[in-house]
Each structure stands twice: as structure tokens, then as C-alpha cells.
Amino acid sequence: MRTFNVKSQVASVLSSDFREVAAETLASLQVYCHWLSLLHLYSHVHKQYENEFVSIVSSCIDAIIPLLHEEVPERVLLPASHFLVSLTTSVRPSFFVALETVQKLYHEVTAGKLRRTAVEIETLIFRALSNALVLPWPNQPDDKQDWPSRSNNHDNLIKALTINYQQMAEHTNVEKRFHAEAKCFIGRTLWLLKDLIEAVSGEATKSKTIVYKSVQESLHTTLALFPVYIHEPDVVDSILGFLLAVFGAFQLQLGVAYTEQIIHRLLGMFTQEQLQETISQEMSAGSRVLEKFLRILRLLAQQTGSSFKTLLPNIINFCLDQIHPLIAERSAPDIKTEFFELLHQLLLNNWRYFFRPNVQTRVTHGDDGACENQGQFVKMMEAFGQTFTQTDITVFKQNLQSLEDLNAKRKLYQKPIFNDGMLFHFLNVLLQVLVRRSHDLLQEEIAIALYNMASSDFDKFYLRFLPEFLTGCEGLYAEQKAELSKSFKMDKDLPSFTRGVHRFVSDVRYYRLYNSSLPSGTVTF
């Protein structure tokens, strides 16, 4: 008897306690899955335990699945669903789908009997059923996995989930009174599909291929619906969440040509006007839309091969010409974080797009030679540099780490285009930040970055940059500047250099404070 469902007046007093006991019992069963997985592996070696394993798992399933019903309280339904996910993820019994109670659950799910449950519960149940069909059974060779049958069953499961969704591409002119319902339906369907995809993102190719084959039609439908709902940020948020999961899990299955087609299509839809409309909805679905799109582009930027290199010019131009002007002076920390991480990955993983290796220049100059696509490279560096003049300490720290990472892995500071044309600007900005004390929490990181930049050419730093910096340093008179220059020792090791920087900065602040306290006209700068 399900005590948590008892309707009598006496039992109602204890109904919440009964629900809690049932939920805790189911939660303990979920923990027990760890030991079931060990017993499963053990039974493959010691055959005498096979029947015991089958009996235990079957009993658990027979007890759990009847609870997966919309009339069961959510407090009980949720741990029951979690148990099923744990069972199909960690234990993976090969006989799971063949059990009569599981067959019944499949029929109920494909008939839509769980659609009135909470989306979290429906998601968990779909994930469990999908896992049972696509995750490999432990200790079974590939020819014993029954992949054709399981793949066919998975296709049927996804078709049942998406049959109405796929029809939406054919009926895009939804009546206004059904518009909100359509948006909700799209969001729920894509959420379920996204979860199934993410569940196999770390699995072997076979599992991914089965899921991709099942969701391929839904991918086509989603791309067809995108332009229809382009002005609905909540729907676009769901669409891009789904696409982000697809790109994260199925790059091999998508193939280069189809990936390029999708990206070109998305870039074409995010026009300047559309981006302006999207970003104006800050702290809402609008900003999440842009963040997810930038993450999709970052997934492609992180590919180290030559597969997606034809997309690079378009992606870089999109970032620099359309995104950056919109966010440069705007307080949009989440978008900026994604944007600058994308720039970092574009540079890190596509260094040869800017600096092609050349044997002759390596021998002559010890570097990769001249910078190609120089305009784009300069704009990217300028975008990084601009954030060092702003107050957002999170973006400041991230970008400082990005430059340091590029230097450690790609010797950024030694490249002629940086060393000759940008080094003084970055040194000046970072030193001014220390003097102003606007980012005191990062003073050690800034000092180390200054050292790494200066170490690319110490003579240039001490003999050219430092005098130039002091010349432009306001609030000091000539004797003080001379004393500052003299006291900054030409150290070339990190500890001594950073101590020298902190002492120099402290002296600059002291002199300025002292000078500002003097009567007006006492000192002429």
C-alpha cells in the first residue's frame, strides 16, 4: 500500500511524514546503485551471482516504475526518477529494456502520459530511458551490444517526443492566441532534447552517433524555426541552448560542411540591428542568448585542427565589428567574460592564422616573422587593452591572465607587432593602474605581467619606456622624476623587479600626495 497516497482523514495528518519517508527510502536506493554496479561487474566474473543480481535489480525496478505517475506526489516522484537515472547510468543492466514494467513505461512515455508532470521529472525519465538504449553495457563486446535494435528503439523514443515539434516547421504562422503555448512547447521540447544530448557528451562515438541520428530531424526543425522566433529572446535562448549542446557533443557527427552551413546561417541572422535589440535586454533572456552564441563560437575556436579554419575570418570580423562596439562601454560582465574568452581561444588555437611559421625568419629573427591579418590582430589587442582602463575587476583579471597565457604558450610579448607597436601602451596602462590603486586586489598579478612584458627587452623598458613614462607623469617636478628614475634599479630577476615596481609606484604616490599638500604656486610642474 502506498502510505503517502492514503486519503483517509486520520492518515492525512501523517501524509507529509509518509511522503518524506518514501522519498528518503528512494534516495537511499539511489546511493545503493554504486554497490549494484560493483555486483554487476562481479557477476560477470562469478557467474553464480548473476541470478541474484538480476533478481535484485528487477525487484527495485518493479518497485520504482509504478511510482512514475503524475498522481504520485512530486516529493516521491523526484527521487524515484533520480534512481532510474542512476541505475541506467552506472549499473546499465542489459536486461533493463526487456522487463515488462520498463516496456510499459516506454509505452506510457511515448504516449505522452508524463507531459503533465514537472519538466524536471519528465527530463529525468527521458534521460533514463535514453541512457538504457545508448550507453554500452559493461563487460560486453561490441557485437553483443545489440546496437541496431537499440538504435531503432531510440529513434522511436525521440520521434514520440518530437512528433508535434517537427510539425511546427510546416505551420509557422501560429495564431496569436496559441503563440504563448507554442513558445512554451518549444522550450520544453528543446530542454528535453538538450538534456539527452548532454548526457552522452562524454560517451563513446557509438552512443553519440545513435543520439545524433535520432535528433537530426529536430535539429533541422530548430534551424527552420530560428528565423520565425528571432525576436523572441526566451525562445531563441532555448534554441541556442539546444544548439550549444549539439555543437558540444556532435562536432564529429555534424561534419565540417554542415557545421559551416549552420554557423553562416546564425551569423547572418544576428545582424547589427538584431544584436542591438538582443543586448538591450540585459539581465534577461537577451543577454543569455548572446552568451550562448559566443560559447558556440568558442567551441569552434577551440578546435586545433584545420577543419573549421574557413570560418575564422567571419567569426573574428563578427566579434570585432559587431559585438565589441556594442559591449565596449556597456556594463555587461557576463557577455564580456564570454566575449573575451572567445578572443583568447581564437588567438591561442589559431596562432598560425596570424603568424605563419617560416624557417628563414625563425633562423634570422628567432620568431614567426611578420603578422598576417594584422588589422584583426591589432583590433583584438586593442579590445584587451581597453578593458584595463575600465573598472570591472573580473574582466580585467581574466584578460590579464589571457595575455599572460598567450605569452607563455605563444611568446606574444616577443612578437615584433606587439613589442614594437603595443608594448609601451600596455606597460603604461598597467603601471597607471598600480599608481591609481584602482585594482589593488590584483597588484601582484599586474606586477608579474609587467615583469614578463619588460623581460622581452629589458633595455627598452629601462632606457626608453621608463623615461617616457616619467615624462608624462603628472603632478611631479623634474627633480622628483630624476630621483624616481635613479632609484629604479635595473633588476632582471622577478622578485627584485616586482619589489622595484611596488617601491616605484609607492614613491610616485607619495610625491604626488606631498606636492598636493603644498600651498598653491609653491611648485611649478
Side-chain angles (χ1 to χ4, degrees), residues 245-309:
V246 168
F247 279 107
F250 300 141
Q251 286 191 20
L252 178 64
Q253 288 75 19
L254 284 166
V256 176
Y258 192 35
T259 298
E260 290 181 352
Q261 180 184 335
I262 295 173
I263 294 300
H264 281 304
R265 191 169 181 176
L266 296 180
L267 290 173
M269 281 188 280
F270 280 110
T271 61
Q272 191 72 30
E273 295 75 17
Q274 182 58 43
L275 287 170
Q276 184 69 54
E277 177 186 328
T278 300
I279 205 170
S280 65
Q281 303 174 45
E282 220 170 282
M283 303 300 292
S284 68
S287 60
R288 294 197 303 272
V289 163
L290 197 48
E291 289 168 41
K292 286 176 180 172
F293 186 50
L294 291 172
R295 282 180 207 155
I296 290 174
L297 297 180
R298 174 151 57 95
L299 285 174
L300 299 180
Q302 288 172 323
Q303 300 303 306
T304 54
S306 59
S307 302
F308 304 110
K309 300 310 177 189

Side-chain angles (χ1 to χ4, degrees), residues 2 4 22-23 25-27 29-30 33 56-69 72 76-85 87 96 101 105 125:
R2 299 179 188 176
F4 54 81
T25 303
L26 292 168
L29 266 182
Q30 183 185 357
C33 282
I56 293 173
V57 171
S58 300
S59 298
C60 290
I61 292 172
D62 289 342
I64 293 294
I65 287 185
L67 300 177
L68 304 178
H69 194 276
V72 174
V76 177
L77 192 50
L78 191 59
S81 305
H82 274 294
F83 168 78
L84 208 61
V85 171
L87 185 72
F96 177 83
T101 50
L105 177 63
I125 295 173

Side-chain angles (χ1 to χ4, degrees), residues 36-204:
L36 278 178
S37 65
L38 295 180
L39 178 60
H40 191 194
L41 296 175
Y42 192 74
S43 67
H44 282 291
V45 180
H46 304 277
K47 300 297 183 182
Q48 65 268 31
Y49 292 102
E50 276 189 358
N51 291 336
E52 185 176 353
F53 170 73
V54 172
S55 175
I56 293 173
V57 171
S58 300
S59 298
C60 290
I61 292 172
D62 289 342
I64 293 294
I65 287 185
L67 300 177
L68 304 178
H69 194 276
E70 60 186 19
E71 294 181 359
V72 174
E74 188 173 322
R75 182 69 183 92
V76 177
L77 192 50
L78 191 59
S81 305
H82 274 294
F83 168 78
L84 208 61
V85 171
S86 295
L87 185 72
T88 55
T89 303
S90 59
V91 184
R92 305 185 188 183
S94 58
F95 56 87
F96 177 83
V97 177
L99 294 174
E100 185 179 344
T101 50
V102 176
Q103 290 284 334
K104 183 180 178 183
L105 177 63
Y106 269 102
H107 289 308
E108 290 179 350
V109 167
T110 53
K113 291 189 177 180
L114 289 175
R115 286 175 188 161
R116 284 187 289 181
T117 61
V119 67
E120 181 183 4
I121 291 167
E122 188 180 15
T123 301
L124 290 170
I125 295 173
F126 263 106
R127 189 195 308 169
L129 297 179
S130 176
N131 285 347
L133 294 171
V134 302
L135 298 184
W137 299 323
N139 287 349
Q140 293 278 10
D142 198 61
D143 59 345
K144 300 290 185 182
Q145 293 285 345
D146 194 22
W147 289 126
S149 174
R150 296 169 73 185
S151 177
N152 185 59
N153 288 334
H154 195 269
D155 286 345
N156 293 333
L157 177 68
I158 301 303
K159 282 177 184 175
L161 168 63
T162 61
I163 185 169
N164 293 327
Y165 176 70
Q166 291 178 19
Q167 292 173 354
M168 293 187 71
E170 303 169 7
H171 305 89
T172 54
N173 295 321
V174 181
E175 290 185 35
K176 195 169 184 179
R177 59 193 175 121
F178 297 122
H179 189 63
E181 185 179 342
K183 287 167 56 178
C184 182
F185 178 74
I186 291 172
R188 188 176 181 114
T189 303
L190 291 178
W191 177 268
L192 293 171
L193 291 174
K194 178 175 78 77
D195 183 80
L196 299 185
I197 294 168
E198 290 174 344
V200 298
S201 62
E203 297 296 330

Side-chain angles (χ1 to χ4, degrees), residues 427 431 434 444 446-455 457-458 461-462 465-466 488-505:
L427 287 170
L431 208 50
L434 289 178
E444 286 305 318
I446 294 171
I448 292 172
L450 284 169
Y451 171 79
N452 289 329
M453 291 181 186
S455 65
D457 191 336
F458 276 119
F461 176 80
Y462 286 116
F465 168 73
L466 205 55
F488 202 133
K489 297 180 180 178
M490 299 177 68
D491 296 310
K492 295 186 179 181
D493 62 284
L494 176 60
S496 301
F497 182 90
T498 54
R499 280 197 301 270
V501 166
H502 291 309
R503 184 170 55 249
F504 175 82
V505 168

Side-chain angles (χ1 to χ4, degrees), residues 127-416:
R127 189 195 308 169
L129 297 179
S130 176
N131 285 347
L133 294 171
V134 302
L135 298 184
W137 299 323
N139 287 349
Q140 293 278 10
D142 198 61
D143 59 345
K144 300 290 185 182
Q145 293 285 345
D146 194 22
W147 289 126
S149 174
R150 296 169 73 185
S151 177
N152 185 59
N153 288 334
H154 195 269
D155 286 345
N156 293 333
L157 177 68
I158 301 303
K159 282 177 184 175
L161 168 63
T162 61
I163 185 169
N164 293 327
Y165 176 70
Q166 291 178 19
Q167 292 173 354
M168 293 187 71
E170 303 169 7
H171 305 89
T172 54
N173 295 321
V174 181
E175 290 185 35
K176 195 169 184 179
R177 59 193 175 121
F178 297 122
H179 189 63
E181 185 179 342
K183 287 167 56 178
C184 182
F185 178 74
I186 291 172
R188 188 176 181 114
T189 303
L190 291 178
W191 177 268
L192 293 171
L193 291 174
K194 178 175 78 77
D195 183 80
L196 299 185
I197 294 168
E198 290 174 344
V200 298
S201 62
E203 297 296 330
T205 302
K206 188 64 180 181
S207 299
K208 291 183 179 182
T209 302
I210 292 174
V211 177
Y212 175 71
K213 177 172 167 284
S214 299
V215 304
Q216 198 168 10
E217 283 301 318
S218 297
L219 175 58
H220 299 329
T221 300
T222 302
L223 293 172
L225 290 174
F226 200 152
V228 178
Y229 290 92
I230 188 67
H231 299 292
E232 302 284 353
D234 47 350
V235 178
V236 177
D237 182 36
S238 298
I239 289 174
L240 286 179
F242 168 72
L243 292 177
L244 180 60
V246 168
F247 279 107
F250 300 141
Q251 286 191 20
L252 178 64
Q253 288 75 19
L254 284 166
V256 176
Y258 192 35
T259 298
E260 290 181 352
Q261 180 184 335
I262 295 173
I263 294 300
H264 281 304
R265 191 169 181 176
L266 296 180
L267 290 173
M269 281 188 280
F270 280 110
T271 61
Q272 191 72 30
E273 295 75 17
Q274 182 58 43
L275 287 170
Q276 184 69 54
E277 177 186 328
T278 300
I279 205 170
S280 65
Q281 303 174 45
E282 220 170 282
M283 303 300 292
S284 68
S287 60
R288 294 197 303 272
V289 163
L290 197 48
E291 289 168 41
K292 286 176 180 172
F293 186 50
L294 291 172
R295 282 180 207 155
I296 290 174
L297 297 180
R298 174 151 57 95
L299 285 174
L300 299 180
Q302 288 172 323
Q303 300 303 306
T304 54
S306 59
S307 302
F308 304 110
K309 300 310 177 189
T310 56
L311 290 170
L312 270 180
N314 289 335
I315 292 176
I316 294 174
N317 287 333
F318 175 78
C319 291
L320 298 176
D321 299 338
Q322 298 197 54
I323 300 288
H324 186 249
L326 292 176
I327 66 172
E329 300 297 336
R330 185 186 294 266
S331 176
D334 293 336
I335 298 175
K336 283 186 175 181
T337 299
E338 289 296 336
F339 174 79
F340 284 106
E341 182 55 28
L342 171 57
L343 291 193
H344 175 215
Q345 294 299 329
L346 283 168
L347 287 164
L348 182 64
N349 296 299
N350 301 280
W351 197 248
R352 292 189 178 190
Y353 176 77
F354 301 101
F355 301 96
R356 292 188 184 276
N358 183 293
V359 175
Q360 182 178 352
T361 53
R362 277 180 181 273
V363 173
T364 307
H365 304 289
D367 57 47
D368 291 340
C371 176
E372 298 188 14
N373 302 295
Q374 183 172 327
Q376 291 178 328
F377 182 82
V378 170
K379 281 186 176 181
M380 293 169 91
M381 290 296 109
E382 287 175 347
F384 279 113
Q386 185 178 5
T387 62
F388 296 146
T389 65
Q390 297 171 339
T391 58
D392 192 323
I393 193 169
T394 302
V395 176
F396 187 108
K397 181 178 181 180
Q398 175 187 323
N399 288 348
L400 191 64
Q401 290 174 339
S402 295
L403 291 182
E404 289 286 271
D405 185 53
L406 289 170
N407 183 58
K409 296 175 180 176
R410 300 288 185 260
K411 298 182 179 179
L412 169 66
Y413 304 153
Q414 296 179 22
K415 301 303 174 194

